[in-house]
Amino acid sequence: MAREQEYPAQEQYPTIASSENFEIWDDVEDGVYIISFNLNGATIAIDHETFEEFASVIAEASKFHKSQSNGRR
C-alpha cells in the first residue's frame, strides 16, 4: 500500500509571505527561509543572514524590469 506523503505542519515551517506564484516559509531550526516558486516547482533556501541582501537584489531587478517595460507596448 502506498504511503501518503506527509507535508510539514504550519507550526514547523510558518508561512511568512505568499502569493499565487510564490510562497516563503521560515525554517527556524535550520536558520533559512524556504522560497517556493509555484510556477515551475523550484524551491530554494536562503540563510536568514543573507535574506535582506537577496530581497534587495530582487527589488533592484524589479525596478530594472519596470524601466525596460515602460517603453514597450
Side-chain angles (χ1 to χ4, degrees):
M1 177 177 226
R3 215 177 100 151
E4 284 188 41
Q5 185 172 352
E6 294 179 27
Y7 292 98
Q10 176 68 15
E11 299 82 35
Q12 186 178 6
Y13 299 109
T15 301
I16 60 170
S18 66
S19 72
E20 183 178 328
N21 299 311
F22 307 98
E23 294 180 55
I24 302 176
W25 301 290
D26 188 3
D27 182 345
V28 178
E29 188 174 308
D30 288 334
V32 297
Y33 292 110
I34 300 169
I35 304 171
S36 174
F37 299 86
N38 299 337
L39 296 172
N40 63 10
T43 301
I44 62 171
I46 305 289
D47 290 335
H48 284 167
E49 294 80 27
T50 59
F51 187 76
E52 190 173 339
E53 178 186 358
F54 176 75
S56 177
V57 169
I58 296 298
E60 208 173 301
S62 178
K63 286 180 190 175
F64 175 80
H65 173 72
K66 287 178 184 176
S67 73
Q68 297 301 305
S69 298
N70 284 339
R72 297 183 214 159
R73 296 232 179 236

